[in-house]
Amino acid sequence: MPALGTGELAALSTAALWAVSCQIHAILSRRLGAHTLILLRLPICIVMFGAWWGASVLFFGGGVMVPGSFGSPSSFGSPGAPSPLALISLALSGVFGVALCDLLFYSGVVLVGARVALLVQSLSTVITAMLGYLLLGEAIGPMGIAGILIATGGVAWVVGDGGTVPEGAVPLSRAVRLRGVGLAFASALALSGGMVLSKQGLAEGVDPLFAALLRMVVAMGVFWPTAMLTGRLRPALSVVRGDSQDRRNFRLLLVASLIGPVVGVWLSLVAIGATKTGIAATLIGLEPIFIIPVAALVERRWPTPRAIAGAGIAFVGTALLCLRNLP
């Protein structure tokens, strides 16, 4: 059996870190609320990503565009700079794939827990493939179709399991569970829409770090003014200067933002660069599997065998879909 290479190890590490980060964010979403969580997380991630991208520009020759693409540009004024359409697509992907997606996802997490919500959101791979087929003319093929059916069936089997109960909650009613699952599925739709939109900018050679930073800045530019108008911004900012519990929550948010959106994203880029994209996507897709023991240890409640089997089936389907184009 061949040893795992750098790309494969980076992909597995990405899945593990994202699972831990997701569970921490799930805890904070219950303590603070989904709106407050996102309002505080966006500027934190922008500062971290901004510092990272700035360092890449100063010390490693990074820029707005990937070197070697469209005349090797490094600024907006050069002939190969991203087109207005690419920038608009990336901006819209920030609205849908970051702001709206996170709000819907963590609202669902409050109701059904991180494990179930994350598994439902994993259907974004299926939705993205279907959108790519309908809008971009991308082929799916028999293997991809089988993956879509298997992944959807596995998620549906888990969703129908009445044993999914969040930490410290009483058994959920069917209506509450369906609402939480619906929010998680809506987040998958938003995430898929954001991924399709972001392809336009990335296809022109926009640097992935700059693209991620731009998406977050746009998301904050939409989310913060909306929160200000609805009276949600001031209570969220009070967490930073609140009591000792609020300060502990804020420090926990800093840790989760570092290991997930920052280190996790960096490792995912390493994985994509060091191995085939399909393999990297498949291994990163293990996140819903990794979160099973993480959530069980934190919530002190193991999922049912049906839930574990369903997550495994969903992963097999996602793997088939991600690997369908490999030779």
Side-chain angles (χ1 to χ4, degrees):
M1 180 176 179
L4 293 177
T6 301
E8 289 79 8
L9 290 174
L12 288 171
S13 299
T14 299
L17 286 177
W18 280 356
V20 173
S21 177
C22 180
Q23 184 60 45
I24 296 174
H25 281 106
I27 294 171
L28 293 173
S29 67
R30 293 176 191 152
R31 292 178 180 176
L32 305 175
H35 281 87
T36 298
L37 173 69
I38 298 168
L39 284 169
L40 294 177
R41 194 180 76 158
L42 280 172
I44 292 172
C45 291
I46 287 172
V47 170
M48 291 180 177
F49 263 101
W52 184 9
W53 181 67
S56 74
V57 172
L58 291 174
F59 303 109
F60 303 106
V64 174
M65 303 289 284
V66 174
S69 60
F70 292 87
S72 300
S74 60
S75 66
F76 286 106
S78 60
S83 67
L85 178 59
L87 294 176
I88 292 173
S89 297
L90 287 171
L92 289 175
S93 74
V95 175
F96 289 98
V98 179
L100 183 59
C101 172
D102 282 359
L103 176 60
L104 292 168
F105 177 73
Y106 288 109
S107 296
V109 164
V110 173
L111 297 177
V112 295
R115 179 176 56 81
V116 176
L118 186 59
L119 182 61
V120 174
Q121 195 191 57
S122 70
L123 286 175
S124 62
T125 304
V126 170
I127 299 169
T128 302
M130 296 175 68
L131 289 176
Y133 172 77
L134 294 173
L135 302 178
L136 305 177
E138 297 178 347
I140 295 180
M143 185 175 175
I145 293 174
I148 289 173
L149 295 175
I150 293 172
T152 305
V155 171
W157 202 33
V158 173
V159 168
D161 180 15
T164 57
V165 181
E167 177 188 10
V170 297
L172 299 177
S173 68
R174 180 179 178 84
V176 172
R177 188 166 66 249
L178 288 178
R179 183 185 174 197
V181 169
L183 288 168
F185 182 73
S187 77
L189 290 173
L191 179 60
S192 299
M195 292 175 67
V196 171
L197 286 166
S198 66
K199 282 189 176 183
Q200 177 67 35
L202 296 176
E204 293 192 13
V206 176
D207 180 80
L209 282 179
F210 173 78
L213 178 60
L214 175 63
R215 294 173 76 227
M216 290 182 183
V217 169
V218 172
M220 182 174 173
V222 171
F223 210 83
W224 270 51
T226 303
M228 187 179 301
L229 292 174
T230 57
R232 294 180 181 270
L233 184 58
R234 187 181 296 274
L237 294 178
S238 66
V239 173
V240 181
R241 297 182 178 180
D243 57 21
S244 58
Q245 181 61 49
D246 282 338
R247 289 194 294 271
R248 282 195 295 269
N249 288 334
F250 186 71
R251 288 194 294 269
L252 192 60
L253 179 57
L254 289 174
V255 172
S257 299
L258 177 64
I259 66 175
V262 178
V263 178
V265 168
W266 172 69
L267 286 172
S268 71
L269 294 175
V270 172
I272 292 171
T275 189
K276 294 181 178 180
T277 303
I279 294 175
T282 299
L283 294 177
I284 292 172
L286 282 167
E287 183 185 358
I289 305 295
F290 274 106
I291 204 171
I292 291 176
V294 174
L297 290 172
V298 172
E299 299 177 0
R300 300 187 181 277
R301 185 184 186 93
W302 279 94
T304 63
R306 171 176 167 174
I308 296 175
I313 292 171
F315 168 72
V316 170
T318 302
L320 289 175
L321 188 58
C322 292
L323 298 174
R324 70 187 187 279
N325 293 324
L326 290 184

